[in-house]
Amino acid sequence: MYFIIFYLLIIVFVILLARCIYLILDRKNRCISAHDEKTKCKTLIVIGSGGHTTEIVRIVKRLNPTIFTPRIYVVAESDDKSNVKIHETEGIFSSKGEYRIVKIPRSRKVHQSYISSVFTTLYAILYSIPVVLLHKPELILCNGPGTCIPICLVGFLSRMLYLSDNVIVFFESICRVKTLSLSGKILQFFADRIIVQWPELKLSCKQAIFIEDLKL
């Protein structure tokens, strides 16, 4: 009996691993098809804090609010200033489309040790599961810091398990000129697109796209 269970688990693991490899290799085609076929795209936007919030908000302002709707903003529960910027941005859209703000625990605080951040990240991942499964975003937009890792990981796993279908796009911070941030290095394995803001940074990531080559 135990051998049967063991072999079944091995089969399930192999299937999930094959599915994971397929999703990683098929990232380019998925992004293109998602952009061409969707008239409206439910968009989940992960807000960082400080300069990260400013950067992602600047990107959001370039999006067509009648297409990228509804918009779900995910913010760290300790970040109150980002709420103000979100409302200001939506004010520019003049209520085109719907939006809401969802808060999750911060996966890693500034100067927090990497060892303790493992536990806080796991907690943030568990908290992110109902957020992703409830809203089922078609597009996940983010740029560091670590707040985006739990959401992107859950988004990728939910796609792998056929629970939702989404495209993950990570915008690297403008302060990263030659090397990817820790978030960027991790999301190389999960994101469908990594957008960089310096041409030199493309040398550090084969799948990276220079932001000026995009048409937003």
Side-chain angles (χ1 to χ4, degrees):
M1 182 66 180
Y2 293 107
F3 288 105
I4 295 176
I5 296 175
F6 175 76
Y7 285 126
L8 286 175
L9 291 175
I10 293 295
I11 293 173
V12 171
F13 174 78
V14 171
I15 292 174
L16 292 179
L17 179 61
R19 171 69 174 165
C20 180
I21 294 174
Y22 168 76
L23 290 176
I24 292 174
L25 295 177
D26 196 48
R27 286 181 290 188
K28 182 177 181 180
N29 294 331
R30 284 180 44 77
C31 284
I32 295 174
S33 61
H35 182 271
D36 291 340
E37 296 176 3
K38 299 293 183 181
T39 55
K40 285 190 176 181
C41 182
K42 182 183 291 187
T43 305
L44 188 150
I45 305 157
V46 185
I47 302 294
S49 59
H52 291 289
T53 300
T54 301
E55 287 185 39
I56 197 69
V57 164
R58 187 181 298 120
I59 292 167
V60 172
K61 290 179 181 178
R62 299 287 301 275
L63 301 178
N64 187 329
T66 59
I67 294 178
F68 296 91
T69 182
R71 294 173 293 280
I72 302 97
Y73 294 90
V74 176
V75 185
E77 59 186 3
S78 59
D79 184 10
D80 295 324
K81 294 182 179 179
S82 292
N83 291 350
V84 177
K85 293 187 177 181
I86 293 171
H87 292 305
E88 290 177 350
T89 301
E90 290 295 331
I92 296 174
F93 291 153
S94 301
S95 300
K96 293 181 180 178
E98 303 174 8
Y99 82 97
R100 64 175 301 176
I101 299 175
V102 178
K103 293 194 174 186
I104 66 172
R106 189 181 295 274
S107 57
R108 183 174 183 269
K109 298 180 180 179
V110 179
H111 302 309
Q112 181 180 349
S113 67
Y114 288 109
I115 295 178
S116 62
S117 66
V118 171
F119 300 99
T120 53
T121 299
L122 289 175
Y123 177 63
I125 290 173
L126 292 176
Y127 207 94
S128 299
I129 292 175
V131 174
V132 174
L133 296 184
L134 175 64
H135 296 287
K136 295 186 184 305
E138 298 165 276
L139 174 64
I140 299 177
L141 288 180
C142 59
N143 78 319
T147 306
C148 67
I149 300 298
I151 290 291
C152 292
L153 179 59
V154 173
F156 182 82
L157 291 176
S158 66
R159 189 202 310 172
M160 186 174 69
L161 297 172
Y162 297 97
L163 298 176
S164 68
D165 190 18
N166 56 72
V167 171
I168 302 173
V169 179
F170 173 75
F171 286 84
E172 184 57 278
S173 174
I174 195 172
C175 67
R176 308 299 302 195
V177 180
K178 295 183 178 181
T179 59
L180 291 172
S181 62
L182 179 59
S183 297
K185 292 176 180 177
I186 294 174
L187 288 177
Q188 286 186 93
F189 302 99
F190 304 112
D192 298 285
R193 282 289 185 270
I194 293 183
I195 314 300
V196 297
Q197 303 189 56
W198 292 92
E200 297 91 335
L201 195 51
K202 292 179 63 176
L203 302 176
S204 300
C205 181
K206 294 181 179 179
Q207 70 186 79
I209 300 176
F210 185 40
I211 193 168
E212 291 187 1
D213 295 331
L214 292 177
K215 294 181 180 179
L216 297 178

